[in-house]
Amino acid sequence: MDINVMEILAVGGIVGGIGAVLGLILAISSQVFKVEVDPRFDQIVEALPGFNCGACGYPGCAGMADGLLEGEADVKQCTPGTELNYSQVRAILNGEDPDSVEVKEEKKAPAKADAKSKPKRKKPEIKDVTNPDPRFDKIVELLPGINCTTCGSPGCKAFADELIKGEQQLEKCRPLKAKGDNKDKIDDIMNK
Ligand code: SF4
Ligand code: SF4
């Protein structure tokens, strides 16, 4: 069987040409459909507490940041957030410097010299507490289980333990608001 060199070269040229056209189309598409990322997105994610607990109704802090930038979310939906978190997010949304925010209620919050030296909020160590009270396991199961420590207890198990001992208040677990009627269920268990 004779192989015509000219035919091979012609086929090669056609294939190469198609590749070049497809590459050009892809390059143009990537520019046309390029998704512009709002530069405030990363700042907002950084200013939120970072628990990724979902208490705001969004799948994590990044989802909440999206919701805030879309104007669909209110920063107060972040129930574990502090006044400092809220004020910083509001400042970012207003195009202001979040490090210039002063919050009266949180004077103890460390001053921020610059983004690199910004101290991270240190989470207390989580304690693997147990309690022989039959209500303990049920309450632990109904709590959010994210061990965010915003209640002041070193984790959800410690919170349940302190709740049973009368040393905690259920209202202190702010992420619980996002867990449907779990708060009522825990109230019922506690009142039995
Ligand atoms: S409630 Fe706050 S900490 Fe939890 S995921 Fe939403 S933004 Fe993040
Ligand atoms: S019990 Fe405390 S640690 Fe657990 S989710 Fe609630 S606030 Fe966070």
Side-chain angles (χ1 to χ4, degrees):
M1 189 169 63
D2 280 344
I3 299 174
N4 187 323
V5 175
M6 289 306 287
E7 282 178 5
I8 293 172
L9 287 175
V11 170
I14 291 167
V15 171
I18 291 171
V21 170
L22 286 176
L24 188 63
I25 290 171
L26 279 175
I28 292 170
S29 302
S30 69
Q31 285 303 309
V32 171
F33 299 110
K34 189 167 67 177
V35 178
E36 293 292 340
V37 177
D38 192 313
R40 296 171 299 174
F41 176 81
D42 285 343
Q43 283 182 295
I44 294 176
V45 172
E46 175 77 6
L48 288 169
F51 297 138
N52 288 316
C53 60
C56 52
Y58 286 88
C61 301
M64 174 66 157
D66 255 341
L68 287 161
L69 285 168
E70 293 292 325
E72 295 166 354
D74 184 308
V75 70
K76 289 264 184 180
Q77 283 172 236
C78 173
T79 46
T82 63
E83 284 305 321
L84 181 62
N85 296 129
Y86 300 154
S87 301
Q88 288 191 325
V89 169
R90 288 193 192 106
I92 294 163
L93 289 170
N94 290 332
E96 295 160 10
D97 178 5
D99 290 343
S100 65
V101 166
E102 283 180 29
V103 180
K104 279 181 193 161
E105 294 90 329
E106 295 193 348
K107 276 185 179 161
K108 280 184 249 158
K112 296 175 176 183
D114 58 57
K116 278 187 184 157
S117 66
K118 186 170 122 179
K120 294 256 183 275
R121 179 179 183 272
K122 201 177 169 209
K123 274 195 188 184
E125 199 177 323
I126 306 304
K127 290 190 180 158
D128 191 17
V129 177
T130 56
N131 185 312
D133 190 302
R135 296 171 297 176
F136 179 74
D137 285 344
K138 292 178 195 165
I139 294 173
V140 168
E141 203 166 306
L142 289 165
L143 287 171
I146 56 173
N147 292 321
C148 66
T149 73
T150 53
C151 55
S153 301
C156 298
K157 286 184 178 177
F159 180 86
D161 176 52
E162 290 167 17
L163 192 68
I164 288 168
K165 290 175 181 164
E167 298 166 359
Q168 253 297 9
Q169 293 169 302
L170 195 49
E171 290 66 30
K172 291 276 184 71
C173 176
R174 290 181 282 174
L176 193 55
K177 283 183 195 165
K179 294 287 167 190
D181 58 357
N182 282 17
K183 180 177 180 296
D184 294 338
K185 288 179 182 168
I186 296 175
D187 261 334
D188 287 345
I189 293 169
M190 288 300 295
N191 292 327
K192 268 182 189 166

